[in-house]
Amino acid sequence: MFRTTDGGKNWEKVLFVDENTGCSDMGMDPNNSRTLFAGMWQLEIHTYGRRSGGPGSGLFKSTDEGATWKRLEGHGLPHAPVGRIAVRVAPKDSNRVYALIETGDGVPMDGKPTQSGQLWRSDDGGENWQLVNSDRQIRGRTHYYTREEISPDNENEVYFFTSAFSRTLDGGRTLTNMPATPGGDNHEMWIDPANGDRMAVVNDGGVSISVNRGHSWDRIQLPIAQIYHVTLDDQIPYFVYGNRQDGPSFRGPSNSLQFGGFGGAQISRGTWHPVAGSESGFATPDPVDNPIIWSTGTGAGSVGGSVARFDEKNHQAREVEVWPETVSGASAAEVKYRFNWEFPVTISPHDHNKVYVGSQFVHVTTDGGNSWQIISPDLTRNDKSRMQISGGLTPDNIGVEYAGTVFAIAESPKEAGVIWAGTNDGYVQITRDGGKNWTNVTKNIPNLPDWGTVSNIEASRYDAGTAYITLDFHQMNNRDPFAYKTTDYGKTWTAITNGIPHSMLSYAHCIREDPARKGQLYLGTENGLYISFDDGKNWQSLQSGLPHAPVYWIAVQERFHDLALATYGRGFWILDDITALEQVTSEILASNAHLFAPRDVYRFRPVAQPAAVSYDPTAGHNPPYGAPINFYLKSKLGEKDRVRLTISDASGKTVREIECHAAKEEGARRPVGRGGPGGGGGEEGEGGPPCEVKPGINRVWWNLESEPGTEVKLRTSPLYAPDVKMGPEGWRPAPDAGRISLLEPPGTYTVTLTVGEEKFTQKLKVLKDPHSGGTESDIQTQMQFLTGLRDEMNAIATSVNPIESIRAQLAALEKELGTDDTGKAIRKAVDELAEKLTSLEEKILQLKLTGKGQDSTRWPPMLAAKIAYLAEETGSSDFPPTTQQVAVGEELKKQGNQFQQEYLQILAKDVTPFNAMLREKNIPNIIVKMP
């Protein structure tokens, strides 16, 4: 135990028993901070078992703010050996102290008897104790739980939280049922010291809050999750699969295709669903028949190799366990097949009907799990001395500490029958004939300690004899990173961890090869992600906004070039579009600038979503909509320098230009827009943030839309709302005349990067959404119709803007004329011309609108709003315009033509004579053309 007296600046060790004992809990007297109690816990955890209890465990007390401590013995307390201890002092009565003490429940350990009991109580501040309860529900699985809290206003009211949630109202002697429970697997609790009705409990499902003393609970899910593995399918867009602690296997979209609306642009929890399996296993889709998902695990361990074959088509699963015999509670030495808590499941890259799993053997099925065959001998050390009952004073055996198990399996994608297997007792084995003969190659690995867990094997797709492995030794008290590579089927190995810093959290979990670039590797450790561009010789951090958390598993989606992670604490994460990383070279980094070849992109259309709330904290984020354009800049741009991206269609016509300037702050992150069509997508212009770039690799998202149409700039206040002022540039946007931007059709486009005098070009393929109902011919027909609407809107804006300018000038002139009789005739002419222009403009815009308070519901829409509405509706899918859409479009076209004719007539018959009158009075003309 450590103590600080200066707010954490300095710490001193004040309580230490031995290297095998740590502090499991502390309890401070709420009424006298000089009095503290501490539970010290002797505990040893290894791959092959956990041992709780021993002479180091004990209850300690300090009366001088922790400066000195006394071990409490006798006086009613259980004698050694004891295990984990939790202790609390009652706020209402400092003499009342409760201690949960692990005793062994009377079951012999190592052939020696143990004591019984769960809860001890002192009524004199810890001098004397009495056993008050032996109910196992109070502590349950002691190494996971053993926690308690006392009500601030009743020293007899104590709460105990385990997989269950219990309460005593009589000082611990009996347990009473709770009116409601906060959830399962409860780990910690807080009670308001000023109001015992207010409490919060944290459990494996989130946080539960009660304001009525536990009679009801508000359950809150947090944006955190412990994910063991991540796998991906090849659908468009692809789905993500994995296993969450205290839940089943799950499936959810990498892109929900939700681009706004009531649910927002998010991946809501409603888009995910269970796919059988359980918390610790795998969820692996069939690479050929993606709706078939192989899920593993149960809430009580892996049992006899628990495997379920889930069918996405009917959302049902068939249990196809390797050996369906319940073994929960049995030691590894007592079971027929030793399946670890995280036993591997791997689908052959050569035959999608062939599925491998691992116990101490490698098992295979080729008939959907209907039958399983063993294709290996025992590949482990088979050390029975390390397969005994795990737990110490309180046994706990559900496969977590099963040693002598196959922990990793991988078949070479290059050569069928080359299968690698790694064990959690440190062996690496290989067969080159599909399992007929196996070779232990562990001795060939240099400087490898014993008893590491081979946490991952990556068989290379580029060379049959090449494989990469990671080994985890943290439960053998070695937290260094261990990763190796072989190129000759395991005959020789090379350590590949240079660049990964050594720390308490640097042990490696997973290594993965990039599917597009040989020698590019990814490695996950207990606190981050690393990348190597030289086949593991050197590594560098690849956090890029990723929270520091254990990276348990890595997957790369080949079609989309995305990198997906399973983090143990922060859920699933995806790094969208790693093509720049796959293409970057030292030559590129030495150049002034470079445009990377973009990946193919899909012109996705939105789909209906499950009902969801927009404030869901657990919701994921969709990738920005459109095409990511990646480019490299060696140096920082000058203040006036600009980088320009130009997108041209197959005919060479420019459809979009994006201009970027230097980021205002070094390292500033460029926003990426709303993430849907019309959302800007990180472009400069309407709907998008400014495009800012910095030295290094930059990314700009083109949202696949054309340049926005001509903007209507209003230079007058709304009718009857003179309080609405113009913006800093002297105008305000029209509330009912949006700029029409067209979603460009599928095809091949050219991206041009201009940096100074240098130009770089790459081709970009835009692909049709394979799920949309229309054809590419339908899209072209739609584009022709929408282009007509856009052109009409642009023509209207080109006329409305001068009208607004003239009206603003007339208003200014009228103010200058004053109210005397000399200007009466001119004022009359000004009013008449302004009225004509206003009447004409009102056919296009609803000039009473302010754009606030939903005032568009007060008055009818005019021509511009109708054109915008028709364009949005027609462009909402990939179908050609309907008969009625065409008919309305023709009607609106007639109205637009009529407006243009009337506008030209006013210019000729009213504005021109008006300017002539002004000249006669030596008054400057009204300027008709916009500056």
Side-chain angles (χ1 to χ4, degrees):
M1 182 188 296
F2 293 81
R3 180 182 71 172
T4 179
T5 56
D6 56 10
K9 295 179 181 179
N10 298 282
W11 294 84
E12 59 177 324
K13 183 164 61 177
V14 294
L15 177 59
F16 176 78
V17 177
D18 57 46
E19 63 177 5
N20 299 315
T21 304
C23 184
S24 58
D25 197 22
M26 289 187 293
M28 178 183 290
D29 184 345
N31 305 303
N32 179 9
S33 61
R34 295 182 61 84
T35 300
L36 298 97
F37 292 84
M40 301 300 286
W41 182 20
Q42 182 172 324
L43 174 69
E44 190 171 343
I45 300 176
H46 290 293
T47 312
Y48 47 83
R50 179 192 309 112
R51 186 176 180 85
S52 173
S57 294
L59 183 62
F60 292 76
K61 181 180 180 180
S62 172
T63 56
D64 54 9
E65 297 180 325
T68 60
W69 293 84
K70 175 186 177 182
R71 180 189 284 264
L72 303 182
E73 297 177 292
H75 298 272
L77 286 172
H79 58 74
V82 294
R84 184 172 180 175
I85 297 174
V87 59
R88 285 292 182 271
V89 181
K92 188 177 181 182
D93 180 2
S94 296
N95 287 318
R96 177 66 60 85
V97 186
Y98 293 92
L100 286 168
I101 303 175
E102 181 185 10
T103 61
D105 294 328
V107 180
M109 183 178 77
D110 298 334
K112 299 178 181 178
T114 64
Q115 300 162 93
S116 296
Q118 307 284 338
L119 179 66
W120 276 257
R121 190 183 83 196
S122 173
D123 294 327
D124 54 10
E127 291 297 320
N128 297 282
W129 298 81
Q130 58 178 312
L131 171 64
V132 291
N133 203 305
S134 296
D135 192 329
R136 293 180 184 178
Q137 181 163 307
I138 290 179
R139 288 188 304 120
R141 302 172 67 191
T142 56
H143 62 289
Y144 280 129
Y145 308 112
T146 308
R147 309 294 287 166
E148 62 186 335
E149 286 297 339
I150 308 172
S151 175
D153 51 19
N154 183 354
E155 70 275 16
N156 292 309
E157 183 177 345
V158 189
Y159 296 86
F160 310 97
F161 25 100
T162 62
S163 59
F165 190 77
S166 306
R167 176 183 62 177
T168 179
L169 297 175
D170 58 4
R173 297 194 180 278
T174 60
L175 299 181
T176 60
N177 293 327
M178 292 289 296
T181 61
D185 286 11
N186 305 287
H187 293 283
E188 197 57 84
M189 184 180 187
W190 171 86
I191 305 177
D192 187 340
N195 182 354
D197 290 345
R198 301 177 67 237
M199 53 185 60
V201 174
V202 293
N203 51 51
D204 282 6
V207 179
S208 295
I209 297 173
S210 177
V211 294
N212 54 17
R213 226 176 186 91
H215 283 265
S216 63
W217 298 88
D218 182 15
R219 299 190 181 189
I220 301 170
Q221 285 190 300
L222 303 175
I224 54 177
Q226 296 169 316
I227 308 295
Y228 284 83
H229 305 102
V230 59
T231 55
L232 313 169
D233 64 21
D234 197 34
Q235 300 189 60
I236 302 171
Y238 62 92
F239 285 85
V240 178
Y241 304 79
N243 307 74
R244 189 196 70 192
Q245 177 63 36
D246 237 46
S249 304
F250 279 94
R251 172 188 187 261
S254 62
N255 185 340
S256 69
L257 301 183
Q258 184 174 2
F259 307 132
F262 291 107
Q266 65 178 10
I267 305 173
S268 69
R269 75 178 76 176
T271 62
W272 292 80
H273 66 262
V275 290
S278 189
E279 52 195 357
S280 64
F282 284 81
T284 304
D286 187 305
V288 176
D289 187 9
N290 287 171
I292 298 300
I293 303 156
W294 294 83
S295 295
T296 60
T298 74
S302 298
V303 199
S306 177
V307 181
R309 191 173 183 270
F310 184 87
D311 192 336
E312 183 66 27
K313 292 188 288 293
N314 59 17
H315 282 206
Q316 294 179 341
R318 180 189 184 190
E319 294 293 337
V320 290
E321 190 167 350
V322 178
W323 192 252
E325 179 182 13
T326 181
V327 296
S328 182
S331 68
E334 297 174 280
V335 301
K336 182 181 182 69
Y337 297 119
R338 301 188 295 270
F339 285 97
N340 188 272
W341 176 255
E342 299 177 57
F343 78 90
V345 56
T346 304
I347 300 176
S348 170
H350 305 281
D351 178 1
H352 71 106
N353 293 311
K354 183 179 290 186
V355 180
Y356 305 99
V357 299
S359 58
Q360 68 268 41
F361 309 106
V362 174
H363 306 255
V364 65
T365 182
T366 57
D367 56 7
N370 190 62
S371 63
W372 294 88
Q373 291 74 44
I374 295 174
I375 61 167
S376 79
D378 187 330
L379 298 178
T380 73
R381 296 175 187 268
N382 196 25
D383 184 347
K384 298 297 184 182
S385 69
R386 291 184 168 181
M387 296 182 191
Q388 303 306 306
I389 290 178
S390 174
L393 285 171
T394 307
D396 195 280
N397 298 272
I398 58 172
V400 177
E401 285 89 25
Y402 274 16
T405 69
V406 172
F407 202 84
I409 301 173
E411 184 176 7
S412 169
K414 197 74 173 176
E415 182 179 340
V418 174
I419 306 171
W420 296 87
T423 71
N424 71 342
D425 54 11
Y427 277 178
V428 179
Q429 309 257 15
I430 183 176
T431 176
R432 299 180 63 178
D433 54 13
K436 296 177 182 178
N437 298 280
W438 290 81
T439 302
N440 188 335
V441 297
T442 312
K443 64 180 182 302
N444 302 331
I445 304 175
N447 303 314
L448 182 69
D450 284 339
W451 275 88
T453 294
V454 182
S455 52
N456 172 229
I457 301 177
E458 177 78 345
S460 174
R461 65 176 53 218
Y462 300 105
D463 183 79
T466 297
Y468 307 86
I469 61 172
T470 53
L471 296 101
D472 175 4
F473 286 87
H474 86 274
Q475 289 193 330
M476 300 304 293
N477 203 28
N478 186 332
R479 291 162 177 81
D480 291 341
F482 286 86
Y484 294 89
K485 172 193 172 183
T486 181
T487 58
D488 53 11
Y489 299 94
K491 294 178 182 178
T492 60
W493 295 82
T494 303
I496 51 169
T497 57
N498 184 52
I500 301 175
H502 289 215
S503 73
M504 292 292 290
L505 301 173
S506 63
Y507 46 97
H509 292 297
C510 183
I511 190 168
R512 194 70 71 214
E513 187 179 54
D514 188 88
R517 187 181 195 182
K518 184 179 182 180
Q520 183 160 313
L521 306 175
Y522 309 96
L523 187 143
T525 69
E526 182 67 6
N527 69 341
L529 177 68
Y530 294 84
I531 186 172
S532 173
F533 296 100
D534 54 10
D535 217 15
K537 294 179 182 178
N538 298 282
W539 295 89
Q540 56 185 289
S541 175
L542 187 61
Q543 290 301 119
S544 295
L546 175 71
H548 283 282
V551 177
Y552 267 26
W553 211 248
I554 303 170
V556 184
Q557 217 293 330
E558 295 185 49
R559 183 193 302 270
F560 287 86
H561 296 265
D562 287 353
L563 182 67
L565 307 178
T567 71
Y568 201 71
R570 299 302 295 267
F572 293 108
W573 284 76
I574 295 176
L575 179 58
D576 299 300
D577 185 21
I578 56 174
T579 54
L581 296 177
E582 293 171 331
Q583 297 172 29
V584 70
T585 63
S586 57
E587 290 76 17
I588 290 175
L589 297 178
S591 64
N592 291 325
H594 180 81
L595 176 63
F596 296 98
R599 68 182 183 184
D600 295 349
V601 300
Y602 288 89
R603 189 179 179 269
F604 285 127
R605 307 303 260 162
V607 300
Q609 294 296 308
V613 294
S614 59
Y615 52 86
D616 181 1
T618 69
H621 301 284
N622 280 322
Y625 185 89
I629 301 173
N630 304 300
F631 56 93
Y632 168 77
L633 298 177
K634 185 176 183 180
S635 305
K636 183 179 180 180
L637 293 180
E639 184 177 350
K640 296 183 178 180
D641 293 335
R642 295 293 182 267
V643 166
R644 185 178 299 276
L645 287 167
T646 305
I647 295 98
S648 307
D649 63 18
S651 69
K653 177 185 175 182
T654 297
V655 298
R656 196 67 184 256
E657 283 193 349
I658 304 169
E659 190 175 85
C660 307
H661 57 78
K664 294 180 181 179
E665 297 181 12
E666 194 67 34
R669 298 187 65 188
R670 180 191 55 75
V672 294
R674 295 201 303 265
E683 306 162 357
E684 182 145 27
E686 184 186 26
C691 176
E692 297 183 345
V693 297
K694 57 186 182 297
I697 296 176
N698 293 270
R699 173 174 296 170
V700 173
W701 289 83
W702 172 43
N703 64 1
L704 306 185
E705 292 188 7
S706 65
E707 291 287 352
T710 304
E711 185 164 20
V712 174
K713 298 181 178 181
L714 302 183
R715 298 177 183 275
T716 61
S717 297
L719 300 181
Y720 313 107
D723 56 306
V724 177
K725 306 301 181 183
M726 303 306 107
E729 297 180 356
W731 59 274
R732 62 186 179 90
D736 56 344
R739 303 167 73 183
I740 295 179
S741 184
L742 305 182
L743 188 64
E744 290 295 319
T748 300
Y749 293 79
T750 299
V751 180
T752 302
L753 170 70
T754 303
V755 183
E757 300 298 321
E758 292 186 278
K759 291 182 181 293
F760 309 85
T761 62
Q762 295 284 359
K763 296 295 183 182
L764 168 65
K765 287 185 179 181
V766 177
L767 306 175
K768 177 185 175 295
D769 185 342
H771 306 293
S772 71
T775 66
E776 293 200 21
S777 176
D778 293 336
I779 294 173
Q780 291 296 336
T781 302
Q782 181 194 106
M783 283 293 296
Q784 293 174 7
F785 180 75
L786 293 176
T787 299
L789 293 178
R790 181 192 62 184
D791 293 345
E792 183 179 357
M793 183 71 91
N794 286 347
I796 287 173
T798 303
S799 299
V800 168
N801 284 335
I803 292 175
E804 277 287 310
S805 175
I806 294 171
R807 289 181 58 209
Q809 292 177 73
L810 291 175
L813 175 60
E814 190 166 25
K815 287 182 179 180
E816 292 180 6
L817 291 174
T819 58
D820 56 22
D821 291 340
T822 58
K824 185 176 181 179
I826 300 176
R827 288 198 301 273
K828 182 175 182 296
V830 167
D831 290 342
E832 290 175 350
L833 180 57
E835 184 177 350
K836 285 185 177 182
L837 290 170
T838 301
S839 297
L840 177 61
E841 189 177 353
E842 280 190 300
K843 296 180 179 181
I844 302 300
L845 302 175
Q846 178 51 261
L847 294 180
K848 302 182 189 71
L849 295 183
T850 65
K852 297 181 179 180
Q854 293 182 304
D855 59 1
S856 62
T857 63
R858 301 185 182 189
W859 304 286
M862 308 313 290
L863 181 58
K866 292 180 178 181
I867 294 173
Y869 175 82
L870 181 60
E872 182 178 6
E873 179 183 278
T874 307
S876 63
S877 66
D878 282 347
F879 293 102
T882 66
T883 301
Q884 277 63 43
Q885 288 168 344
V886 172
V888 172
E890 292 174 350
E891 184 66 29
L892 299 181
K893 178 68 174 176
K894 291 178 183 178
Q895 295 178 29
N897 290 339
Q898 181 64 32
F899 161 76
Q900 296 293 355
Q901 292 176 10
E902 294 181 17
Y903 169 61
L904 293 175
Q905 288 177 0
I906 289 178
L907 288 181
K909 296 182 178 182
D910 296 280
V911 176
T912 300
F914 180 79
N915 272 336
M917 180 188 67
L918 293 180
R919 287 195 297 272
E920 290 177 0
K921 304 292 186 180
N922 292 321
I923 298 175
N925 279 3
I926 294 297
I927 300 173
V928 176
K929 188 176 181 180
M930 289 287 292

